[in-house]
Amino acid sequence: MSTEAEAAPPFDLDRAWCVDERVAVRPEPFGALLYHFGTRRLSFLKNTTMLAVVRSLGEHPSARSACAAAGVGAALLPAYERALATLAQSRMIRERGSGS
């Protein structure tokens, strides 16, 4: 049986996102640690640019604009999109307006 129908939808850089309110962000020299108090999952942000993107998601109309504001260029955007998709799948970030 295929699990394709159960797969998460692709991450949309042009939608509004934010850090889930149950997530604590702890900056570290390498980037940050994110801990979700609801799922008890821990995620690592591997650089300070990714931390800047995640922290500013709620201030921008889209994930794409948060990336641009953090200085993520077109060549690196696909890597950031994949990282944000992973954070969305693990419920560290969520679409704004989607509730908990």
Side-chain angles (χ1 to χ4, degrees), residues 7-86:
F11 186 81
D12 189 345
L13 279 172
D14 296 314
R15 292 190 181 269
W17 295 85
C18 64
V19 175
D20 188 281
E21 59 275 355
R22 296 167 291 181
V23 172
V25 178
R26 182 174 135 187
E28 294 288 342
F30 59 82
L33 298 171
L34 276 61
Y35 180 76
H36 194 296
F37 286 94
T39 64
R40 300 175 63 184
R41 289 183 131 187
L42 183 66
S43 291
F44 296 88
L45 302 183
K46 296 181 181 180
N47 63 58
T48 56
T49 302
M50 188 66 194
L51 173 60
V53 169
V54 168
R55 278 187 156 171
S56 71
L57 283 171
E59 302 166 10
H60 292 277
S62 69
R64 184 181 308 277
S65 65
C67 287
V72 177
L76 291 176
L77 193 57
Y80 280 79
E81 181 178 12
R82 286 189 301 275
L84 289 167
T86 299

